[in-house]
Amino acid sequence: MEKRVLITGGTGFIGHVLCHELLKRGYRLTVLSRQAADNVRAVCGQVEVIADLESLRSHPGYDAVINLAGEGIADKRWSDQRKKALRDSRISLTATLTEVITSWEKPPEVMISGSAVGFYGDQGSTRVTEETAPHDEFTHRLCKDWEDAALALETLQVRVCLSRTGVVAGAGGGFLQRMILPFKLGLGGRLGDGQQYMPWIHRSDVVAALIWMLETPEASGAYNVVSPNPVTNREFTRCLATTLKRPAIFPAPAPVLNLALGEMSRLLLTGQQAVPERLTNGGFVFQYPRLEKALEDVVN
């Protein structure tokens, strides 16, 4: 019997690719979206579309839930209003989702919920595994509260997996897409001193990791969804410039980024040398473990 999966964030940068992969594997998908159903299907494929979670109260239930909804953390400067929007789009939605799930006739076997390596806050050059103690700052609190909202389902004996994702490299969007144009124009360069780590991952590996969590009964808890080979911003910059055959001679000094972006500049000037220890120990194999091959696939 085909398994039924409810997905939030299905039209997003990662979600729409995930939808197509799951459809290929024979899953039956329902996507939560405010967009018109025809628009969602144009992006995600042949999926059922629902406009709000309230319509799922007292539902018979789904076999699995994948929760990827959340506004882009780097889309706008972090005003108090913007921080609230970031929290509401992640935490409030996830809390409502878990509340609705508790009303189902049968709870799902598994809930896979988004998070980010921002959970750890600034870690300097420390090697970061899933056991590393976090540095308390906005991104940590945002991710922790987001994760806690999903973990509430464990009281129903639901297997909960948390995807602490890094900077995702993929064609047609995401952080990398914003970097490519300046580099193509010869205006690219490192951010600050470039020594901060950028825990990156190819979008295909993110999708594969989510499916691995879905289909691995032993998988639960937090996973660093990042490449096994993290690099500094300086190394990332050099590799991207080489791939595009362009110079990288225009660094963005830290004071300029601080002035332009305020607190949000910490996203660019701090980082984590995060490694996917639990995925690797669980037998997950990366298609793009090296940055050079990942960028060649994305930008060429």
Side-chain angles (χ1 to χ4, degrees):
M1 187 175 74
E2 62 184 359
K3 291 201 169 185
R4 304 185 68 222
V5 181
L6 172 65
I7 300 181
T8 74
T11 59
F13 181 58
I14 295 167
H16 81 277
V17 179
L18 175 65
C19 284
H20 285 284
E21 288 301 316
L22 290 175
L23 288 171
K24 286 181 193 175
R25 299 169 87 94
Y27 288 90
R28 184 176 169 190
L29 307 183
T30 298
V31 173
L32 172 70
S33 177
R34 296 194 189 107
Q35 298 182 38
D38 286 347
N39 293 344
V40 175
R41 293 189 187 101
V43 173
C44 298
Q46 290 305 306
V47 301
E48 179 187 5
V49 182
I50 59 166
D52 69 277
L53 287 172
E54 294 303 318
S55 64
L56 294 180
R57 287 194 184 273
S58 303
H59 190 272
Y62 291 84
D63 297 294
V65 177
I66 302 177
N67 176 38
L68 303 177
E71 294 194 20
I73 194 165
D75 287 355
K76 297 178 183 177
R77 190 183 175 108
W78 290 352
S79 63
D80 289 344
Q81 183 179 1
R82 181 59 183 168
K83 285 183 175 181
K84 183 178 184 303
L86 291 172
R87 290 182 62 84
D88 286 348
S89 69
R90 289 165 172 76
I91 302 154
S92 297
L93 185 143
T94 303
T96 300
L97 177 61
T98 56
E99 180 193 344
V100 167
I101 289 172
T102 61
S103 75
W104 292 355
E105 294 175 18
K106 181 184 176 184
E109 298 168 14
V110 58
M111 159 84 137
I112 300 165
S113 196
S115 185
V117 289
F119 174 90
Y120 303 103
D122 180 21
Q123 293 287 336
S125 60
T126 302
R127 183 177 182 272
V128 176
T129 73
E130 291 83 356
E131 300 301 317
T132 300
H135 177 260
D136 186 23
E137 55 186 281
F138 174 67
T139 57
H140 165 66
R141 294 187 293 273
L142 177 67
C143 292
K144 182 179 186 302
D145 292 347
W146 191 11
E147 292 182 5
D148 286 347
L151 289 169
L153 282 178
E154 289 185 328
T155 60
L156 298 180
Q157 310 306 311
V158 175
R159 179 169 65 86
V160 179
C161 294
L162 305 167
S163 175
R164 292 178 181 166
T165 310
V167 176
V168 181
F175 176 77
L176 183 61
Q177 197 65 26
R178 301 178 190 182
M179 296 180 67
I180 286 177
L181 181 58
F183 274 78
K184 283 185 174 179
L185 295 174
L187 302 174
R190 70 180 188 275
L191 302 176
D193 65 10
Q195 296 306 309
Q196 69 277 24
Y197 273 86
M198 287 181 63
W200 67 275
I201 184 169
H202 192 287
R203 179 169 55 184
S204 294
D205 283 329
V206 178
V207 169
L210 294 171
I211 294 173
W212 180 87
M213 293 178 209
L214 175 66
E215 297 182 345
T216 303
E218 302 79 27
S220 67
Y223 290 88
N224 288 345
V225 181
V226 294
S227 158
N229 296 291
V231 297
T232 64
N233 174 260
R234 182 184 292 268
E235 292 166 323
F236 191 101
T237 297
R238 185 186 305 122
C239 188
L240 180 58
T242 299
T243 304
L244 292 170
K245 299 180 174 60
R246 293 289 190 276
I249 55 176
F250 289 94
V256 173
L257 291 172
N258 285 328
L259 185 63
L261 301 176
E263 185 183 359
M264 197 180 83
S265 65
R266 290 186 62 78
L267 279 180
L268 306 178
L269 296 173
T270 66
Q272 309 83 18
Q273 189 183 178
V275 293
E277 186 169 271
R278 294 196 66 222
L279 277 177
T280 303
N281 290 347
F284 180 80
V285 178
F286 287 82
Q287 184 180 358
Y288 293 96
R290 296 285 177 184
L291 182 61
E292 294 81 3
K293 293 297 182 185
L295 291 182
E296 285 172 11
D297 177 72
V298 171
V299 305
N300 293 333

